[in-house]
Amino acid sequence: MNESVTTTGVRDVSVATAFAGMRSVAPVTFRAGCPDCRGAFELAASALRLAIGATSRTTFYSFTCPDCGAAVRKPAGERIVELLTGGGVRTLRLHTP
């Protein structure tokens, strides 16, 4: 075992020990649809952008439709913001907290 107890009572744990039980995680994908061509598809987090504005009217996510190439922008409520940020979608804050 690669751990020891220090004089402060805190254990020193090696990186190998700390991550020993972890498995790889499947990449997060999000279901989306295009209002122009009506295509339905799954997008990786890297294909989406989230903009958080000062109000719900200025908070949205966007992506490019993989079927027709249209730029799509959709409103994002609190739950959508939570899901997208938790899934690793890049976020731009349009206001200061």
Side-chain angles (χ1 to χ4, degrees):
M1 188 180 265
N2 292 337
E3 61 181 80
S4 61
V5 178
T6 65
T7 56
T8 61
V10 177
R11 291 184 177 194
D12 289 329
V13 179
S14 72
V15 173
T17 301
F19 293 100
M22 293 187 74
R23 293 180 228 131
S24 64
V25 177
V28 176
T29 58
F30 297 93
R31 289 185 188 170
C34 177
D36 288 352
C37 72
R38 303 282 185 210
F41 37 80
E42 290 188 355
L43 297 171
S46 61
L48 295 155
R49 301 292 175 269
L50 174 64
I52 299 176
T55 68
S56 61
R57 300 186 102 209
T58 57
T59 300
F60 61 90
Y61 66 98
S62 61
F63 59 90
T64 300
C65 175
D67 292 344
C68 71
V72 179
R73 178 175 161 166
K74 294 188 175 188
E78 288 182 34
R79 182 70 178 137
I80 298 295
V81 169
E82 183 182 320
L83 291 170
L84 294 176
T85 55
V89 172
R90 283 188 273 183
T91 303
L92 170 66
R93 295 200 181 268
L94 302 176
H95 71 287
T96 55

